[in-house]
Amino acid sequence: MDREQFRKAGYAAVDRICDYFENLESYDVVPKVQPGDIARLIADEAPQEGEPWENISKDFDRVILPGITHWQHPNFYAYFPANTTYECILADMYAGAVSNPGFNWLCSPACTELESKATDWVAKLHGLDDTWQNEGKVGGGVINGSASESCLTVCIAARERYLRLHPNTPFAELVIVATTQTHSLAAKAALILGIEFVAIETKEEDDWALRGDGLRTALEEIEGQGKKPFILIATLGSTSTGAVDKFGEITAVTADYPSLFLHIDAAWGGVFLSLPECHDETFLSAINARAPQSADDVGEGAICAGGEVHSISSNLHKSGLVTFDANCLWIRDRALLTSALDVTPPFLRTAQASAGLVTDYRNMSISLGRRFRSLKIWFALRSYGVTGFQKHLRQLISRAEVFERALLDADKGVPGVVLFTPRRFSLVVFRVVSLAAATPRSDTPDAVAARLERENALNASVVRHANEDSSLMLTPTTVGGKNCVRIAIGSPNTEDRHVLDLVEKIRRLVDRAREEVGDSKQL
């Protein structure tokens, strides 16, 4: 393809993308394909001779679109949001045009310096104070592909920090600590690093959040077994229920464990820090709080004090209007990353970095080569502005409130449906309960177990039948042995009419589930 052919194909591609969004609501959310259907449409080997672009581009419609789950669809309520915007699509086009690996400042100074500015912009938008920003030359932000990547990165940094504080600690004694509600990224990081993982049980009466007393008990038990907990991964907006751990209580405990690194995974919930009305709910003041610095901390550089949050990461590619992938990781002492990840052979050395004038982001991340992700963040925030970004988040919350009210309405709602946890931002988690009337023996262990089994079957049936309907997509969760249904509202294309229609669909699904399970008031 030459330049003029690209120009023509590019115009056509933009038109096709616009048509896609214009007709998005007409697509099934979930593709009606079986395993192998798409693969059978693709040749087993690359062609010997090049094909005309016209044939290649047509296969996007013929081969690819029939196998796409449409995360931008207004009736996509599964997993987590994955927003995109026209601004970011254009940014990805430009980033592709100037394609470079971005492993140091000299590769392309704009890539490095825009990343520093973009992560500071987002930190300020989230309400993170100047200790998290690159401007201060101590803390700072870096853009990774996912929260999982950031979690693994800080686990490496925390491990090296602990080993500097406690040389000769046997590797087998190290432990990564999280909760039963922490995303699987914590367990995966432990698996990759070959380190033991311990999950602390959280409680329904605490809305599944980690509390200080539970943390202290768990740490005492771990240390009593001769283990060395070196990082705690707390959560701001868990995947299952939207739980937010009690960061103030947590740091009050970690103050007594100065070797313990504290990371907050705010993959989904972090963007809601951008709303002033959510600052109390997200415990922003506890995130920003600094621990008192003792004389022993002076001059230690990479050794931070206990009793404070050391790092936090947030995904802009979920509810943050930025095309996947764009995870921001902030750390209060960037030397924690660079001391663990800096490998600089002669061919990567530059005069600017040696003089301490620039940041080489390869030393703050796992990968050497890095994508130019900051461009799409810059484009999106400049186009929407703080006001537009906040308006989008408030609309998501408003849609969830509309859905919640309609679902639970005493007269027009769905009978026998209750919230499993209080709505968190734009996530509603509900549970279908049995309509069977209580009897004098309803509280016996066998009766309680039978009721739980029946209710779990009801909720599983609702999800199963929902996902047989290609017009919507939602996902289940199981917490505390109870099956629940998650409704994650995130698409900018979702309107009130969509969530009200969803309530009616859920009514039909619940009726079908009750008939299937045999649940009625007469039981």
Side-chain angles (χ1 to χ4, degrees):
M1 180 182 288
D2 61 27
R3 185 172 59 250
E4 291 308 312
Q5 289 172 323
F6 170 72
R7 191 188 305 274
K8 180 179 178 181
Y11 289 150
V14 169
D15 285 342
R16 182 64 189 89
I17 291 169
C18 290
D19 290 343
Y20 170 74
F21 281 101
E22 184 176 350
N23 299 311
L24 182 58
E25 198 167 341
S26 68
Y27 291 99
D28 288 328
V29 180
V30 184
K32 296 176 179 177
V33 297
Q34 298 300 315
D37 284 355
I38 302 302
R40 279 188 285 272
L41 299 175
I42 303 171
D44 291 336
E45 297 178 358
Q48 286 296 115
E49 304 294 334
E51 300 179 43
W53 177 252
E54 182 180 358
N55 294 351
I56 299 170
S57 63
K58 285 180 179 178
D59 276 352
F60 182 78
D61 285 335
R62 184 182 73 88
V63 178
I64 302 303
L65 273 183
I68 290 293
T69 297
H70 299 281
W71 287 58
Q72 305 304 308
H73 198 288
N75 289 324
F76 181 91
Y77 305 107
Y79 305 116
F80 49 79
N83 297 164
T84 191
T85 52
Y86 295 121
E87 293 86 348
C88 292
I89 295 171
L90 291 170
D92 273 344
M93 290 175 65
Y94 284 126
V98 297
S99 179
N100 66 78
F103 51 79
N104 65 19
W105 178 87
L106 196 57
C107 283
S108 282
C111 296
T112 293
E113 296 189 16
L114 182 58
E115 183 159 349
S116 295
K117 284 290 188 179
T119 52
D120 278 1
W121 277 22
V122 181
K124 293 172 184 177
L125 177 63
H126 282 16
L128 301 178
D129 66 24
D130 56 6
T131 65
W132 298 101
Q133 297 166 28
N134 295 289
E135 292 176 354
K137 306 296 185 183
V138 177
V142 56
I143 304 172
N144 291 315
S146 68
S148 302
E149 185 180 344
S150 287
C151 178
L152 178 59
T153 302
V154 297
C155 282
I156 294 170
R159 180 192 64 191
E160 297 308 301
R161 171 180 180 263
Y162 188 92
L163 293 175
R164 286 194 299 273
L165 287 168
H166 306 283
N168 304 316
T169 300
F171 206 75
E173 294 181 0
L174 297 176
V175 174
I176 293 174
V177 182
T179 80
T180 52
Q181 296 306 301
T182 304
H183 190 277
S184 58
L185 53 73
K188 187 169 185 177
L191 180 67
I192 292 170
L193 296 176
I195 289 174
E196 184 178 349
F197 174 70
V198 174
I200 303 171
E201 290 282 351
T202 56
K203 302 175 183 177
E204 186 170 5
E205 57 263 35
D206 296 328
D207 293 329
W208 307 105
L210 178 62
R211 303 293 300 266
D213 55 355
L215 173 61
R216 187 178 294 279
T217 298
L219 292 176
E220 288 174 352
E221 289 178 355
I222 293 169
E223 291 197 331
Q225 297 167 3
K227 302 293 185 179
K228 305 296 190 297
F230 69 92
I231 184 170
L232 168 65
I233 300 165
T235 303
L236 196 168
S238 69
T239 299
S240 282
T241 64
V244 178
D245 292 336
K246 309 296 185 182
F247 305 131
E249 295 182 16
I250 290 170
T251 53
V253 173
T254 61
D256 296 333
Y257 293 84
S259 301
L260 188 65
F261 186 106
L262 176 56
H263 173 66
I264 294 178
D265 171 39
W268 166 68
V271 291
F272 293 97
L273 287 164
S274 304
L275 298 178
E277 62 268 30
C278 292
H279 285 178
D280 288 344
E281 187 176 0
T282 54
F283 304 112
L284 178 61
S285 59
I287 294 172
N288 280 333
R290 296 309 306 264
Q293 300 291 307
S294 70
D296 293 338
D297 297 317
V298 177
E300 289 291 345
I303 310 301
C304 290
E308 62 186 22
V309 180
H310 296 97
S311 63
I312 181 171
S313 75
S314 172
N315 284 342
L316 291 183
H317 59 243
K318 289 188 175 173
S319 296
L321 296 172
V322 177
T323 306
F324 185 86
D325 52 0
N327 169 268
C328 290
L329 167 66
W330 296 276
I331 192 161
R332 276 200 156 122
D333 187 346
R334 69 178 75 178
L336 289 168
L337 295 180
T338 57
S339 60
L341 300 168
D342 184 358
V343 177
T344 307
F347 56 83
L348 292 179
R349 294 174 188 163
T350 64
Q352 296 85 0
S354 297
L357 300 175
V358 299
T359 298
D360 283 347
Y361 272 113
R362 74 176 191 281
N363 296 330
M364 292 180 65
S365 60
I366 292 173
S367 60
L368 176 62
R370 312 180 70 258
R371 298 180 62 226
F372 192 8
R373 298 183 180 98
S374 57
L375 190 65
K376 55 191 174 185
I377 297 175
W378 193 46
F379 278 16
L381 290 182
R382 290 184 66 188
S383 182
Y384 280 83
V386 172
T387 300
F389 190 88
Q390 292 174 332
K391 178 181 178 181
H392 160 70
L393 295 177
R394 290 183 176 119
Q395 285 178 336
L396 296 184
I397 293 173
S398 174
R399 303 285 183 255
E401 290 172 338
V402 169
F403 170 75
E404 178 186 27
R405 285 195 298 268
L407 181 72
L408 303 178
D409 186 272
D411 297 321
K412 300 179 181 179
V414 182
V417 168
V418 299
L419 290 186
F420 180 67
T421 57
R423 176 189 53 77
R424 179 73 71 188
F425 310 132
S426 60
L427 174 66
V428 178
V429 182
F430 68 86
R431 179 166 165 79
V432 184
V433 297
S434 176
L435 293 178
T439 68
R441 297 183 58 80
S442 293
D443 59 351
T444 65
D446 286 347
V448 170
R451 187 180 188 92
L452 175 61
E453 182 178 3
R454 184 166 63 252
E455 292 182 344
N456 279 347
L458 283 171
N459 287 273
S461 176
V462 167
V463 174
R464 184 174 66 257
H465 292 307
N467 291 334
E468 291 170 355
D469 179 357
S470 297
S471 70
L472 78 159
M473 189 174 183
L474 49 83
T475 45
T477 190
T478 301
V479 183
K482 296 180 180 179
N483 291 351
C484 308
V485 183
R486 297 173 68 260
I487 302 296
I489 298 172
S491 173
N493 303 301
T494 301
E495 301 174 5
D496 284 356
R497 62 186 176 89
H498 296 113
V499 297
L500 292 174
D501 182 57
L502 176 61
V503 172
E504 294 308 308
K505 289 182 178 180
I506 289 173
R507 185 193 309 278
R508 294 192 292 271
L509 291 167
V510 169
D511 288 344
R512 185 176 178 183
R514 292 196 191 282
E515 181 179 352
E516 180 178 271
V517 173
D519 183 80
S520 69
K521 293 180 181 179
Q522 284 73 42
L523 284 176

